[in-house]
Amino acid sequence: MQDLHTEIDSNVKQALVEDIGAGDLTASLIPGDKELSASVVSREDAVLCGVQWFEACFLALSSDTTVHWFAKDGDTVQAGYKLCEIKGQARALLSAERSALNFLQMLSAVATQTKYFVDAINGTQAVIVDTRKTLPGLRLAQKYAVKCGGGINHRFGLYDGILIKENHIIAAGGITAALRKAQEIVPPGGFIQIEVESLQELQEALTAGAGMVLLDNFTLAQLSDAVALARQQTGDQVLLEASGNMTLENVRQVAETGVDRISIGSLTKNIRAIDLSMRFSGVKEKF
């Protein structure tokens, strides 16, 4: 996994280049020595996330920018809450504004959505897990946001774990053959998980020594049967993960079947940005 600070620098550089290009034409209307202050307010209840990305956008254009926060990543804030105050060189603040807000709105949205699911299964043994269904180039950022919302990260990419899905099983010659090959090649510290689509496939995976099983698109009744089967044969030795068509309306019922994890792609791919407002004013005093 790439270092978070390195990833933030990369994300911010790409965002600013994309937005500013050869130069911010509109910001050039403002005198170069003018300073401004601004505040950011959340217009809705949310879980804050993206503080480091937000700050990095302004600092990349002017190292003299100062940001004073009234909340931190992972905090739940109410509609109308002032998140931060900013002061700095006017052109830098205006040029970085959109990119900074894009990161803060998007990552807060992921954290907020994750928190909804985490709260929905509170009191069960299950945890909420993310997937690789992330926005291209922003996987580490979005997985960080999932953690801020109380969720758990699955593998970060194809390099840090083996997840044997339907097409891998077909290509490898079956569940047993795929698991045996995976057991030969898994790196130290890596994990092996296999996807099954029926109780019959689950039984084959258990017989072949699976330690992590992804129960794909099982009904609630099938999930309960799968948990009973796995516990009867292996105790608590096999980790069971439910996936497919998870919503806030059904996720608690899924958790109550006894599965260990529930993976949800919509945490990172179906995102509605949190509504944030950034308002500027003249500089009056230091923070």
Side-chain angles (χ1 to χ4, degrees), residues 217-245:
N217 285 307
F218 276 42
T219 66
L220 290 173
Q222 289 172 326
L223 287 173
S224 295
D225 290 343
V227 171
L229 176 64
R231 300 297 178 248
Q232 180 183 27
Q233 296 190 17
T234 69
D236 294 327
Q237 298 304 305
V238 174
L239 187 150
L240 297 176
E241 178 178 319
S243 182
N245 300 313

PDB file of all heavy atoms in Angstrom, residues 217-245:
ATOM      1  N   ASN A 217     -24.637 -12.988  -3.357  1.00  0.00           N
ATOM      2  CA  ASN A 217     -26.057 -12.912  -3.693  1.00  0.00           C
ATOM      3  C   ASN A 217     -26.886 -14.049  -3.100  1.00  0.00           C
ATOM      4  O   ASN A 217     -27.835 -14.538  -3.738  1.00  0.00           O
ATOM      5  CB  ASN A 217     -26.240 -12.870  -5.217  1.00  0.00           C
ATOM      6  CG  ASN A 217     -25.871 -11.516  -5.799  1.00  0.00           C
ATOM      7  OD1 ASN A 217     -26.365 -10.489  -5.365  1.00  0.00           O
ATOM      8  ND2 ASN A 217     -24.971 -11.525  -6.774  1.00  0.00           N
ATOM      9  N   PHE A 218     -26.569 -14.451  -1.880  1.00  0.00           N
ATOM     10  CA  PHE A 218     -27.374 -15.441  -1.168  1.00  0.00           C
ATOM     11  C   PHE A 218     -28.637 -14.762  -0.629  1.00  0.00           C
ATOM     12  O   PHE A 218     -28.619 -13.585  -0.237  1.00  0.00           O
ATOM     13  CB  PHE A 218     -26.598 -16.023   0.002  1.00  0.00           C
ATOM     14  CG  PHE A 218     -25.672 -17.166  -0.339  1.00  0.00           C
ATOM     15  CD1 PHE A 218     -24.883 -17.148  -1.488  1.00  0.00           C
ATOM     16  CD2 PHE A 218     -25.594 -18.277   0.493  1.00  0.00           C
ATOM     17  CE1 PHE A 218     -24.033 -18.186  -1.791  1.00  0.00           C
ATOM     18  CE2 PHE A 218     -24.741 -19.331   0.203  1.00  0.00           C
ATOM     19  CZ  PHE A 218     -23.961 -19.293  -0.944  1.00  0.00           C
ATOM     20  N   THR A 219     -29.734 -15.495  -0.578  1.00  0.00           N
ATOM     21  CA  THR A 219     -30.925 -15.002   0.114  1.00  0.00           C
ATOM     22  C   THR A 219     -30.672 -15.042   1.617  1.00  0.00           C
ATOM     23  O   THR A 219     -29.697 -15.654   2.088  1.00  0.00           O
ATOM     24  CB  THR A 219     -32.143 -15.864  -0.213  1.00  0.00           C
ATOM     25  OG1 THR A 219     -31.946 -17.177   0.339  1.00  0.00           O
ATOM     26  CG2 THR A 219     -32.372 -15.956  -1.716  1.00  0.00           C
ATOM     27  N   LEU A 220     -31.555 -14.420   2.380  1.00  0.00           N
ATOM     28  CA  LEU A 220     -31.402 -14.442   3.840  1.00  0.00           C
ATOM     29  C   LEU A 220     -31.446 -15.882   4.363  1.00  0.00           C
ATOM     30  O   LEU A 220     -30.652 -16.253   5.236  1.00  0.00           O
ATOM     31  CB  LEU A 220     -32.506 -13.610   4.498  1.00  0.00           C
ATOM     32  CG  LEU A 220     -32.409 -12.095   4.301  1.00  0.00           C
ATOM     33  CD1 LEU A 220     -33.649 -11.413   4.863  1.00  0.00           C
ATOM     34  CD2 LEU A 220     -31.154 -11.545   4.964  1.00  0.00           C
ATOM     35  N   ALA A 221     -32.341 -16.672   3.827  1.00  0.00           N
ATOM     36  CA  ALA A 221     -32.432 -18.070   4.264  1.00  0.00           C
ATOM     37  C   ALA A 221     -31.155 -18.831   3.914  1.00  0.00           C
ATOM     38  O   ALA A 221     -30.650 -19.633   4.724  1.00  0.00           O
ATOM     39  CB  ALA A 221     -33.642 -18.744   3.616  1.00  0.00           C
ATOM     40  N   GLN A 222     -30.625 -18.594   2.725  1.00  0.00           N
ATOM     41  CA  GLN A 222     -29.384 -19.263   2.322  1.00  0.00           C
ATOM     42  C   GLN A 222     -28.211 -18.813   3.175  1.00  0.00           C
ATOM     43  O   GLN A 222     -27.335 -19.623   3.509  1.00  0.00           O
ATOM     44  CB  GLN A 222     -29.100 -18.977   0.843  1.00  0.00           C
ATOM     45  CG  GLN A 222     -30.045 -19.690  -0.120  1.00  0.00           C
ATOM     46  CD  GLN A 222     -29.851 -19.224  -1.552  1.00  0.00           C
ATOM     47  OE1 GLN A 222     -29.537 -18.053  -1.819  1.00  0.00           O
ATOM     48  NE2 GLN A 222     -30.064 -20.139  -2.498  1.00  0.00           N
ATOM     49  N   LEU A 223     -28.189 -17.539   3.542  1.00  0.00           N
ATOM     50  CA  LEU A 223     -27.116 -17.051   4.420  1.00  0.00           C
ATOM     51  C   LEU A 223     -27.166 -17.749   5.770  1.00  0.00           C
ATOM     52  O   LEU A 223     -26.129 -18.166   6.314  1.00  0.00           O
ATOM     53  CB  LEU A 223     -27.219 -15.540   4.598  1.00  0.00           C
ATOM     54  CG  LEU A 223     -26.809 -14.677   3.404  1.00  0.00           C
ATOM     55  CD1 LEU A 223     -27.143 -13.210   3.671  1.00  0.00           C
ATOM     56  CD2 LEU A 223     -25.316 -14.826   3.111  1.00  0.00           C
ATOM     57  N   SER A 224     -28.354 -17.874   6.327  1.00  0.00           N
ATOM     58  CA  SER A 224     -28.493 -18.562   7.620  1.00  0.00           C
ATOM     59  C   SER A 224     -28.050 -20.016   7.512  1.00  0.00           C
ATOM     60  O   SER A 224     -27.351 -20.537   8.398  1.00  0.00           O
ATOM     61  CB  SER A 224     -29.951 -18.493   8.090  1.00  0.00           C
ATOM     62  OG  SER A 224     -30.333 -17.157   8.359  1.00  0.00           O
ATOM     63  N   ASP A 225     -28.425 -20.670   6.426  1.00  0.00           N
ATOM     64  CA  ASP A 225     -28.011 -22.059   6.220  1.00  0.00           C
ATOM     65  C   ASP A 225     -26.505 -22.157   6.039  1.00  0.00           C
ATOM     66  O   ASP A 225     -25.863 -23.102   6.519  1.00  0.00           O
ATOM     67  CB  ASP A 225     -28.712 -22.644   4.993  1.00  0.00           C
ATOM     68  CG  ASP A 225     -30.202 -22.873   5.212  1.00  0.00           C
ATOM     69  OD1 ASP A 225     -30.633 -22.880   6.389  1.00  0.00           O
ATOM     70  OD2 ASP A 225     -30.928 -23.023   4.208  1.00  0.00           O
ATOM     71  N   ALA A 226     -25.923 -21.178   5.342  1.00  0.00           N
ATOM     72  CA  ALA A 226     -24.479 -21.183   5.116  1.00  0.00           C
ATOM     73  C   ALA A 226     -23.721 -21.009   6.430  1.00  0.00           C
ATOM     74  O   ALA A 226     -22.712 -21.690   6.667  1.00  0.00           O
ATOM     75  CB  ALA A 226     -24.103 -20.068   4.144  1.00  0.00           C
ATOM     76  N   VAL A 227     -24.202 -20.114   7.269  1.00  0.00           N
ATOM     77  CA  VAL A 227     -23.570 -19.916   8.578  1.00  0.00           C
ATOM     78  C   VAL A 227     -23.663 -21.198   9.396  1.00  0.00           C
ATOM     79  O   VAL A 227     -22.670 -21.633  10.012  1.00  0.00           O
ATOM     80  CB  VAL A 227     -24.225 -18.733   9.319  1.00  0.00           C
ATOM     81  CG1 VAL A 227     -23.727 -18.674  10.760  1.00  0.00           C
ATOM     82  CG2 VAL A 227     -23.921 -17.423   8.606  1.00  0.00           C
ATOM     83  N   ALA A 228     -24.823 -21.824   9.423  1.00  0.00           N
ATOM     84  CA  ALA A 228     -25.002 -23.058  10.187  1.00  0.00           C
ATOM     85  C   ALA A 228     -24.078 -24.156   9.673  1.00  0.00           C
ATOM     86  O   ALA A 228     -23.451 -24.889  10.469  1.00  0.00           O
ATOM     87  CB  ALA A 228     -26.465 -23.512  10.108  1.00  0.00           C
ATOM     88  N   LEU A 229     -23.976 -24.288   8.357  1.00  0.00           N
ATOM     89  CA  LEU A 229     -23.125 -25.316   7.759  1.00  0.00           C
ATOM     90  C   LEU A 229     -21.655 -25.086   8.113  1.00  0.00           C
ATOM     91  O   LEU A 229     -20.948 -26.017   8.533  1.00  0.00           O
ATOM     92  CB  LEU A 229     -23.304 -25.306   6.237  1.00  0.00           C
ATOM     93  CG  LEU A 229     -22.420 -26.268   5.434  1.00  0.00           C
ATOM     94  CD1 LEU A 229     -22.740 -27.713   5.790  1.00  0.00           C
ATOM     95  CD2 LEU A 229     -22.621 -26.026   3.938  1.00  0.00           C
ATOM     96  N   ALA A 230     -21.202 -23.866   7.941  1.00  0.00           N
ATOM     97  CA  ALA A 230     -19.794 -23.563   8.212  1.00  0.00           C
ATOM     98  C   ALA A 230     -19.458 -23.716   9.689  1.00  0.00           C
ATOM     99  O   ALA A 230     -18.395 -24.245  10.041  1.00  0.00           O
ATOM    100  CB  ALA A 230     -19.471 -22.152   7.740  1.00  0.00           C
ATOM    101  N   ARG A 231     -20.345 -23.271  10.563  1.00  0.00           N
ATOM    102  CA  ARG A 231     -20.073 -23.376  12.001  1.00  0.00           C
ATOM    103  C   ARG A 231     -20.089 -24.837  12.458  1.00  0.00           C
ATOM    104  O   ARG A 231     -19.296 -25.245  13.314  1.00  0.00           O
ATOM    105  CB  ARG A 231     -21.104 -22.560  12.788  1.00  0.00           C
ATOM    106  CG  ARG A 231     -21.125 -21.069  12.471  1.00  0.00           C
ATOM    107  CD  ARG A 231     -19.812 -20.383  12.822  1.00  0.00           C
ATOM    108  NE  ARG A 231     -19.850 -18.968  12.460  1.00  0.00           N
ATOM    109  CZ  ARG A 231     -19.132 -18.407  11.508  1.00  0.00           C
ATOM    110  NH1 ARG A 231     -18.313 -19.158  10.764  1.00  0.00           N
ATOM    111  NH2 ARG A 231     -19.227 -17.110  11.264  1.00  0.00           N
ATOM    112  N   GLN A 232     -20.986 -25.612  11.897  1.00  0.00           N
ATOM    113  CA  GLN A 232     -21.067 -27.026  12.261  1.00  0.00           C
ATOM    114  C   GLN A 232     -19.794 -27.768  11.881  1.00  0.00           C
ATOM    115  O   GLN A 232     -19.310 -28.616  12.636  1.00  0.00           O
ATOM    116  CB  GLN A 232     -22.283 -27.667  11.572  1.00  0.00           C
ATOM    117  CG  GLN A 232     -22.443 -29.161  11.887  1.00  0.00           C
ATOM    118  CD  GLN A 232     -23.612 -29.760  11.136  1.00  0.00           C
ATOM    119  OE1 GLN A 232     -23.992 -29.277  10.073  1.00  0.00           O
ATOM    120  NE2 GLN A 232     -24.192 -30.810  11.684  1.00  0.00           N
ATOM    121  N   GLN A 233     -19.235 -27.421  10.741  1.00  0.00           N
ATOM    122  CA  GLN A 233     -18.082 -28.170  10.243  1.00  0.00           C
ATOM    123  C   GLN A 233     -16.741 -27.601  10.694  1.00  0.00           C
ATOM    124  O   GLN A 233     -15.770 -28.337  10.785  1.00  0.00           O
ATOM    125  CB  GLN A 233     -18.132 -28.226   8.716  1.00  0.00           C
ATOM    126  CG  GLN A 233     -19.328 -28.992   8.182  1.00  0.00           C
ATOM    127  CD  GLN A 233     -19.232 -29.240   6.695  1.00  0.00           C
ATOM    128  OE1 GLN A 233     -18.178 -29.136   6.088  1.00  0.00           O
ATOM    129  NE2 GLN A 233     -20.353 -29.605   6.081  1.00  0.00           N
ATOM    130  N   THR A 234     -16.681 -26.294  10.954  1.00  0.00           N
ATOM    131  CA  THR A 234     -15.373 -25.682  11.248  1.00  0.00           C
ATOM    132  C   THR A 234     -15.366 -24.836  12.515  1.00  0.00           C
ATOM    133  O   THR A 234     -14.348 -24.232  12.838  1.00  0.00           O
ATOM    134  CB  THR A 234     -14.935 -24.778  10.078  1.00  0.00           C
ATOM    135  OG1 THR A 234     -15.784 -23.617  10.018  1.00  0.00           O
ATOM    136  CG2 THR A 234     -14.987 -25.522   8.757  1.00  0.00           C
ATOM    137  N   GLY A 235     -16.499 -24.759  13.223  1.00  0.00           N
ATOM    138  CA  GLY A 235     -16.561 -23.848  14.364  1.00  0.00           C
ATOM    139  C   GLY A 235     -16.504 -22.413  13.853  1.00  0.00           C
ATOM    140  O   GLY A 235     -17.233 -22.045  12.937  1.00  0.00           O
ATOM    141  N   ASP A 236     -15.617 -21.625  14.452  1.00  0.00           N
ATOM    142  CA  ASP A 236     -15.460 -20.233  14.014  1.00  0.00           C
ATOM    143  C   ASP A 236     -14.217 -20.048  13.154  1.00  0.00           C
ATOM    144  O   ASP A 236     -13.696 -18.941  13.029  1.00  0.00           O
ATOM    145  CB  ASP A 236     -15.374 -19.302  15.238  1.00  0.00           C
ATOM    146  CG  ASP A 236     -16.677 -19.271  16.019  1.00  0.00           C
ATOM    147  OD1 ASP A 236     -17.731 -19.392  15.383  1.00  0.00           O
ATOM    148  OD2 ASP A 236     -16.629 -19.154  17.262  1.00  0.00           O
ATOM    149  N   GLN A 237     -13.735 -21.118  12.549  1.00  0.00           N
ATOM    150  CA  GLN A 237     -12.464 -21.057  11.827  1.00  0.00           C
ATOM    151  C   GLN A 237     -12.587 -20.427  10.442  1.00  0.00           C
ATOM    152  O   GLN A 237     -11.602 -19.950   9.881  1.00  0.00           O
ATOM    153  CB  GLN A 237     -11.878 -22.466  11.694  1.00  0.00           C
ATOM    154  CG  GLN A 237     -11.553 -23.123  13.021  1.00  0.00           C
ATOM    155  CD  GLN A 237     -10.610 -22.280  13.856  1.00  0.00           C
ATOM    156  OE1 GLN A 237      -9.525 -21.902  13.396  1.00  0.00           O
ATOM    157  NE2 GLN A 237     -11.013 -21.965  15.073  1.00  0.00           N
ATOM    158  N   VAL A 238     -13.789 -20.424   9.867  1.00  0.00           N
ATOM    159  CA  VAL A 238     -13.976 -19.878   8.532  1.00  0.00           C
ATOM    160  C   VAL A 238     -14.692 -18.530   8.631  1.00  0.00           C
ATOM    161  O   VAL A 238     -15.740 -18.406   9.275  1.00  0.00           O
ATOM    162  CB  VAL A 238     -14.786 -20.837   7.645  1.00  0.00           C
ATOM    163  CG1 VAL A 238     -15.097 -20.193   6.290  1.00  0.00           C
ATOM    164  CG2 VAL A 238     -14.011 -22.134   7.443  1.00  0.00           C
ATOM    165  N   LEU A 239     -14.113 -17.529   7.986  1.00  0.00           N
ATOM    166  CA  LEU A 239     -14.708 -16.194   7.971  1.00  0.00           C
ATOM    167  C   LEU A 239     -15.684 -16.110   6.797  1.00  0.00           C
ATOM    168  O   LEU A 239     -15.318 -16.364   5.651  1.00  0.00           O
ATOM    169  CB  LEU A 239     -13.613 -15.137   7.835  1.00  0.00           C
ATOM    170  CG  LEU A 239     -14.016 -13.671   7.974  1.00  0.00           C
ATOM    171  CD1 LEU A 239     -12.859 -12.862   8.551  1.00  0.00           C
ATOM    172  CD2 LEU A 239     -14.450 -13.082   6.641  1.00  0.00           C
ATOM    173  N   LEU A 240     -16.915 -15.739   7.106  1.00  0.00           N
ATOM    174  CA  LEU A 240     -17.963 -15.679   6.093  1.00  0.00           C
ATOM    175  C   LEU A 240     -18.326 -14.225   5.798  1.00  0.00           C
ATOM    176  O   LEU A 240     -18.617 -13.448   6.700  1.00  0.00           O
ATOM    177  CB  LEU A 240     -19.206 -16.425   6.570  1.00  0.00           C
ATOM    178  CG  LEU A 240     -19.040 -17.931   6.821  1.00  0.00           C
ATOM    179  CD1 LEU A 240     -20.321 -18.510   7.392  1.00  0.00           C
ATOM    180  CD2 LEU A 240     -18.645 -18.660   5.547  1.00  0.00           C
ATOM    181  N   GLU A 241     -18.334 -13.895   4.508  1.00  0.00           N
ATOM    182  CA  GLU A 241     -18.640 -12.535   4.073  1.00  0.00           C
ATOM    183  C   GLU A 241     -19.808 -12.559   3.099  1.00  0.00           C
ATOM    184  O   GLU A 241     -19.794 -13.305   2.123  1.00  0.00           O
ATOM    185  CB  GLU A 241     -17.407 -11.930   3.399  1.00  0.00           C
ATOM    186  CG  GLU A 241     -17.604 -10.526   2.855  1.00  0.00           C
ATOM    187  CD  GLU A 241     -16.328  -9.978   2.237  1.00  0.00           C
ATOM    188  OE1 GLU A 241     -15.241 -10.194   2.811  1.00  0.00           O
ATOM    189  OE2 GLU A 241     -16.419  -9.351   1.165  1.00  0.00           O
ATOM    190  N   ALA A 242     -20.814 -11.762   3.385  1.00  0.00           N
ATOM    191  CA  ALA A 242     -21.966 -11.647   2.496  1.00  0.00           C
ATOM    192  C   ALA A 242     -21.773 -10.462   1.563  1.00  0.00           C
ATOM    193  O   ALA A 242     -21.247  -9.414   1.959  1.00  0.00           O
ATOM    194  CB  ALA A 242     -23.241 -11.474   3.306  1.00  0.00           C
ATOM    195  N   SER A 243     -22.217 -10.628   0.315  1.00  0.00           N
ATOM    196  CA  SER A 243     -22.064  -9.559  -0.665  1.00  0.00           C
ATOM    197  C   SER A 243     -23.180  -9.644  -1.694  1.00  0.00           C
ATOM    198  O   SER A 243     -23.692 -10.721  -1.983  1.00  0.00           O
ATOM    199  CB  SER A 243     -20.702  -9.667  -1.364  1.00  0.00           C
ATOM    200  OG  SER A 243     -20.521  -8.619  -2.292  1.00  0.00           O
ATOM    201  N   GLY A 244     -23.547  -8.461  -2.230  1.00  0.00           N
ATOM    202  CA  GLY A 244     -24.531  -8.427  -3.298  1.00  0.00           C
ATOM    203  C   GLY A 244     -25.846  -7.789  -2.900  1.00  0.00           C
ATOM    204  O   GLY A 244     -26.527  -8.263  -1.992  1.00  0.00           O
ATOM    205  N   ASN A 245     -26.173  -6.680  -3.542  1.00  0.00           N
ATOM    206  CA  ASN A 245     -27.465  -6.010  -3.359  1.00  0.00           C
ATOM    207  C   ASN A 245     -27.742  -5.606  -1.913  1.00  0.00           C
ATOM    208  O   ASN A 245     -28.864  -5.738  -1.418  1.00  0.00           O
ATOM    209  CB  ASN A 245     -28.609  -6.894  -3.872  1.00  0.00           C
ATOM    210  CG  ASN A 245     -28.476  -7.227  -5.340  1.00  0.00           C
ATOM    211  OD1 ASN A 245     -28.220  -6.342  -6.159  1.00  0.00           O
ATOM    212  ND2 ASN A 245     -28.621  -8.498  -5.684  1.00  0.00           N
TER     213      ASN A 245
END
